């Protein structure tokens, strides 16, 4: 199984798009809350996508990651992309 | 109809109910005013980057501005420093005005700012990544951080002010134009406008862009670099920061039960003819039109806050225009901006704040650092120390590169506390 966890996703979200007092990404419920409900817009997802692509050397087609996904769903998706590359 | 496109007399003049300052003279209205009265300069050798390879070494930097500590976390990586500065100044102005945007009709509150450079520092960083690493390394936020309206948009979103919003790009005259636009909006359905301007392009890209004007001082002694109207004038010193003002209809301020620092009595704008046309600059005529718009005679003006370029030819032209309208030595003239350097879009906004503080306090601040007036600049410059002359009407002048020219007339308000 490829190494990409919710924690990796949250780390990249934190540096790429920032956090403020209204968002507690450490709250265990955050992983299952949609990005839009956590306060991140489509631009944040764009920034996030390009950071993940660079760091893990994978390509993520436009639209595959959307701000309607939760961090857990997004992390699962990224892990599967990494796994495809490694095959 | 005046040159500013406004009929005078139809509406009572709008009032300024709140001020916010983030400037080389300090963060906060009170600190700024204390620096101004003490003649405490915010100019120094540039520290935001290593200036040793550039001919310009001196600038006005905001002391102790830590975006990570002051700005909401998410907005730090998403916006440029000029927006960081503006977010703090805007919030301070709303607090000072005791305005609670959530309790007011969202479409009757507007945001109008001035920007001269946009998000230059952010842009430089992303361009470095583009050239050094490739396009996939450029931040998605470059798309919204660089542009002139970025600050207006972020301030509008943050405070839920959803009325008519915009940005004025008039180089160093922008601060006055944003206030003039606020006045138009208050005359056409808005009740409260958050207005002002900031710029923060003290990065190599921002500096060399400004150097192209040929107007920047290459004097490396901070005490000698920016001396407008002086025999030692050597050009302009760039600075970062600016100010925000809450501009409100008199009825809205009354309804909310808040006092105000002053009234925006009149404004006019013009543009200089192209070089070589043989026609004179428009400043004298703009001042006259602003006074007419305010229905104020030159003899009623108690102080002029000069644009004070620092470029000798500009200083001479400004001095001649002031003398033409007010007579030789006919009005006290001051330029506290020698303490901050020129803040571009933030400059005239901060000058207006300083003028309102002068009216509120009954004190005309002096122009620090001058020695001997340049020949031909026959002005009654306020030097050495502030004067308690109880001014009631102030004129603020602003000129921008290429010919932007603006004048604003402000009258004294009824507020006696400063920035509390």
């Amino acid at each position: 199984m490829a190494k990409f966890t919710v924690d990796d996703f949250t780390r990249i979200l934190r540096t790429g798009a920032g956090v403020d007092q209204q968002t507690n990404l450490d709250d265990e419920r955050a992983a299952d809350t949609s990005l839009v409900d956590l306060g991140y817009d489509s631009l944040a997802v764009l920034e996030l996508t390009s950071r993940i692509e660079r760091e893990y050397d994978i390509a993520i087609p436009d639209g595959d990651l959307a701000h309607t996904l939760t961090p857990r769903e997004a992390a699962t998706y990224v892990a599967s992309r990494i796994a495809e590359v490694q095959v | 109809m005046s040159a500013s496109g406004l009929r005078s007399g139809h509406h009572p003049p709008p009032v300024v109910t709140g001020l916010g300052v983030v400037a080389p003279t300090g963060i906060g209205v009170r600190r700024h005013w204390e620096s101004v009265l003490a003649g405490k300069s915010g100019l120094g050798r540039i520290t935001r980057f290593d200036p040793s390879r550039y001919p310009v070494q001196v600038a006005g930097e905001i002391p102790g501005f830590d975006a990570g500590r002051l700005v909401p976390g998410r907005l730090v990586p998403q916006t440029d420093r000029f927006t960081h500065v503006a977010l703090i100044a805007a919030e301070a102005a709303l607090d000072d005005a005791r305005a609670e945007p959530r309790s007011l009709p969202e479409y009757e509150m507007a945001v109008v700012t001035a920007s001269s450079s946009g998000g230059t520092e952010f842009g430089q960083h992303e361009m470095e990544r583009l050239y050094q690493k490739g396009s996939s390394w450029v931040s998605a936020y470059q798309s919204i951080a660089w542009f002139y309206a970025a600050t207006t948009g972020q301030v509008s979103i943050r405070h839920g002010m959803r009325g008519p919003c915009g940005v004025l790009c008039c180089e160093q005259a922008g601060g006055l134009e944003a206030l003039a636009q606020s006045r138009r909006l208050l005359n056409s359905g808005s009740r409260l406008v958050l207005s002002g301007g900031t710029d923060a392009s003290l990065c190599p890209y921002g500096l060399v862009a400004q150097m192209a004007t040929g107007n920047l001082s290459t004097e490396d002694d901070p005490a000698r670099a920016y001396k407008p109207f002086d025999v030692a004038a050597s050009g302009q010193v760039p600075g970062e920061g600016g100010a925000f003002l809450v501009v409100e209809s008199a009825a809205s301020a009354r309804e909310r039960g808040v006092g105000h620092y002053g009234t925006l009595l009149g404004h006019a704008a013009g543009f200089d003819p192209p070089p070589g046309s043989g026609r004179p600059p428009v400043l004298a005529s703009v001042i006259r039109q602003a006074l007419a718009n305010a229905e104020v005679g030159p003899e009623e003006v108690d102080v002029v806050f000069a644009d004070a370029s620092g470029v000798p030819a500009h200083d001479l032209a400004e001095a001649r225009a002031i003398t033409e309208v007010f007579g030789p030595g006919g009005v006290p003239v001051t330029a506290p901006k020698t303490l901050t350097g020129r803040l571009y879009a933030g400059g005239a906004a901060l000058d207006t704040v300083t003028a309102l503080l002068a009216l509120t306090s009954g004190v005309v601040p002096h122009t620090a650092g001058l020695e001997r007036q340049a020949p031909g600049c026959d002005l009654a410059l306020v030097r050495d120390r502030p004067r308690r002359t109880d001014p009631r009407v102030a004129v603020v002048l602003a000129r921008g590169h290429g010919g932007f020219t603006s004048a604003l007339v402000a009258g004294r308000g009824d507020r006696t506390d400063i920035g509390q």
Side-chain angles (χ1 to χ4, degrees), chain A:
Chain A
M1 187 60 198
K3 291 186 193 68
F4 191 90
T5 64
V6 172
D7 288 345
D8 290 317
F9 185 86
T10 305
R11 166 180 55 81
I12 294 170
L13 187 62
R14 207 184 287 278
T15 40
V19 282
D20 48 34
Q21 297 89 328
Q22 286 98 314
T23 324
N24 182 3
L25 291 178
D26 297 326
D27 189 313
E28 57 189 24
R29 283 164 301 185
D32 296 304
T33 305
S34 73
L35 289 167
V36 66
D37 288 335
L38 289 169
Y40 295 98
D41 57 13
S42 54
L43 203 52
V45 172
L46 200 60
E47 174 64 15
L48 195 64
T49 303
S50 104
R51 282 174 181 259
I52 294 169
E53 287 180 324
R54 292 197 307 257
E55 187 172 331
Y56 292 89
D57 199 20
I58 56 169
I60 298 175
D62 282 350
D64 275 15
L65 284 183
H67 58 310
T68 49
L69 297 181
T70 66
R72 196 183 307 283
E73 288 164 347
T76 304
Y77 168 84
V78 173
S80 71
R81 291 297 297 178
I82 295 171
E84 281 173 39
V85 172
Q86 286 169 342
V87 167

Side-chain angles (χ1 to χ4, degrees), chain B residues 188-253:
Chain B
S188 57
S190 296
R191 60 182 286 155
L192 184 149
V193 186
L194 193 45
S195 186
T198 58
D199 254 309
S201 49
L202 293 181
C203 57
Y205 166 36
L207 188 73
V208 295
Q210 293 298 343
M211 278 163 44
T213 64
N215 290 337
L216 294 194
S217 171
T218 53
E219 168 65 56
D220 59 11
D221 175 359
R224 297 190 54 80
Y226 183 33
K227 296 168 87 78
F229 303 117
D230 200 89
V231 289
S234 59
Q236 308 188 339
V237 167
E240 60 171 1
F244 267 68
L245 302 88
V246 174
V247 192
E248 209 167 342
S249 68
S252 172

Side-chain angles (χ1 to χ4, degrees), chain B residues 234-293:
Chain B
S234 59
Q236 308 188 339
V237 167
E240 60 171 1
F244 267 68
L245 302 88
V246 174
V247 192
E248 209 167 342
S249 68
S252 172
R254 212 167 29 242
E255 195 181 300
R256 296 201 302 113
V258 296
H260 62 85
Y261 291 100
T263 51
L264 303 185
L265 297 173
H267 161 264
F271 206 88
D272 283 335
S277 73
R279 287 181 282 145
V282 293
L283 182 58
S285 114
V286 165
I287 298 172
R288 283 201 192 93
Q289 289 173 59
L291 292 175
N293 182 245

Side-chain angles (χ1 to χ4, degrees), chain B residues 171-187:
Chain B
E171 226 270 327
Q172 303 190 38
L176 296 190
E177 292 310 305
L179 290 169
Q181 175 63 5
S182 305
R183 203 168 66 134
R184 292 182 194 102
L185 294 177
L186 293 169
N187 289 346

Side-chain angles (χ1 to χ4, degrees), chain B residues 17-23 27-29 65 70-72 75 82-101 110-113 150-161 192-198 241-247 349 353:
Chain B
T17 53
L19 307 174
V21 171
V22 179
I27 300 172
V29 171
F65 186 80
L70 298 170
V71 177
L75 290 172
F82 92 106
T83 303
H84 297 165
V85 168
L87 287 163
I88 302 312
E91 186 177 33
L94 285 172
D95 284 349
D96 187 33
R98 287 193 279 130
E100 179 48 70
V111 181
V112 179
T113 70
T151 289
T152 290
Q154 297 291 359
V155 169
S156 162
I157 292 166
R158 185 168 185 215
H159 297 291
M161 303 173 77
L192 184 149
V193 186
L194 193 45
S195 186
T198 58
F244 267 68
L245 302 88
V246 174
V247 192
V353 166

